[in-house]
Amino acid sequence: GQNIDQPTEMTATEGAIVQINCTYQTSGFNGLFWYQQHAGEAPTFLSYNVLDGLEEKGRFSSFLSRSKGYSYLLLKELQMKDSASYLCAVPNQAGTALIFGKGTTLSVSS
Amino acid sequence: EAGAAQSPRYKIIEKRQSVAFWCNPISGHATLYWYQQILGQGPKLLIQFQNNGVVDDSQLPKDRFSAERLKGVDSTLKIQPAKLEDSAVYLCASSLLASGSDTQYFGPGTRLTVL
């Protein structure tokens, strides 16, 4: 079967760095996505990793280790607008759609 | 890139009533998904269309839920009759390809409350 685990909640202060972890079990691997979802809004694409290593995109970076079934999303120079839910997702066994984790709610305070 | 368009944004009904949601995907996107997101959970796939054909509806409660995508563009999701546990946000997403590795673009969702 497929399973995704990520922490339920995290808190941080403005200007800080936060790392949101995601572990997954999947039969066959076709990449890992991170989406951001503000309360009451649509999930929006942040990153897609298919190879091991760190990919940096502005203040956000995503890391993948396929051998460990592990990924993290790194957010630097946190801003209040980064308060949102962060969803980790992997393609399903058929490779046609996504299976999402429960999401990590990040609260950024001043 | 902006996501799929959805309506209505909010709907409140009583149990045993019926309800329908509409989705218009990004132009040119062949694949359309309907997800159910219960409060505090990640989205769960209900049904996936490739053009106007169904790719995966294994998690769709077919005794009460139905969906169609006539002409391979817009789609409607219907619930009849609704139950209390159907209270959730219904998200529509689309992608260019029928691959889980292709980025999906989500609409804002319809928040359904069943009383």
Side-chain angles (χ1 to χ4, degrees):
Chain A
Q2 293 178 280
N3 190 49
I4 298 173
D5 287 310
Q6 46 181 135
T8 303
E9 293 181 343
M10 297 184 72
T11 59
T13 54
E14 269 188 307
I17 299 173
V18 71
Q19 178 175 309
I20 302 174
N21 297 324
C22 170
T23 58
Y24 63 90
Q25 294 91 42
T26 182
S27 49
F29 181 75
N30 290 304
L32 185 143
F33 287 85
W34 284 97
Y35 279 82
Q36 179 192 58
Q37 186 177 28
H38 285 101
E41 297 184 13
T44 55
F45 170 78
L46 287 178
S47 67
Y48 172 63
N49 293 67
V50 65
L51 299 176
D52 289 351
L54 184 70
E55 292 201 9
E56 299 185 66
K57 193 184 296 184
R59 293 190 299 115
F60 291 11
S61 302
S62 55
F63 172 84
L64 176 67
S65 169
R66 290 173 294 172
S67 62
K68 295 182 179 178
Y70 167 69
S71 173
Y72 67 72
L73 184 68
L74 191 70
L75 291 76
K76 302 176 185 176
E77 302 170 16
L78 280 173
Q79 302 175 10
M80 298 290 284
K81 67 178 182 179
D82 298 328
S83 292
S85 178
Y86 291 86
L87 299 162
C88 176
V90 296
N92 61 10
Q93 200 162 355
T96 55
L98 291 178
I99 294 178
F100 284 86
K102 293 183 177 182
T104 299
T105 300
L106 174 66
S107 298
V108 180
S109 59
S110 56
Chain B
E1 185 171 2
Q6 290 188 248
S7 68
R9 289 297 311 276
Y10 305 92
K11 192 74 178 178
I12 300 174
I13 61 172
E14 295 189 348
K15 59 183 180 184
R16 290 188 290 274
Q17 285 187 322
S18 62
V19 65
F21 313 128
W22 173 83
C23 173
N24 177 238
I26 292 174
S27 177
H29 280 197
T31 308
L32 185 147
Y33 310 82
W34 283 103
Y35 289 90
Q36 180 192 59
Q37 187 174 24
I38 292 171
L39 188 64
Q41 305 279 321
K44 185 188 84 171
L45 181 71
L46 292 175
I47 188 167
Q48 177 186 353
F49 292 95
Q50 169 74 5
N51 296 312
N52 60 352
V54 175
V55 174
D56 183 353
D57 64 357
S58 58
Q59 298 191 84
L60 187 74
K62 298 181 186 64
D63 57 334
R64 298 183 302 106
F65 286 64
S66 65
E68 59 182 11
R69 191 184 183 197
L70 300 176
K71 301 181 181 179
V73 181
D74 294 0
S75 177
T76 55
L77 176 70
K78 296 179 181 178
I79 307 175
Q80 182 180 10
K83 293 185 175 181
L84 296 178
E85 59 261 35
D86 298 332
S87 293
V89 175
Y90 290 85
L91 294 163
C92 176
S94 67
S95 64
L96 200 56
L97 305 173
S99 167
S101 303
D102 197 24
T103 300
Q104 297 182 24
Y105 296 89
F106 286 82
T110 297
R111 182 176 298 277
L112 174 68
T113 302
V114 182
L115 303 175

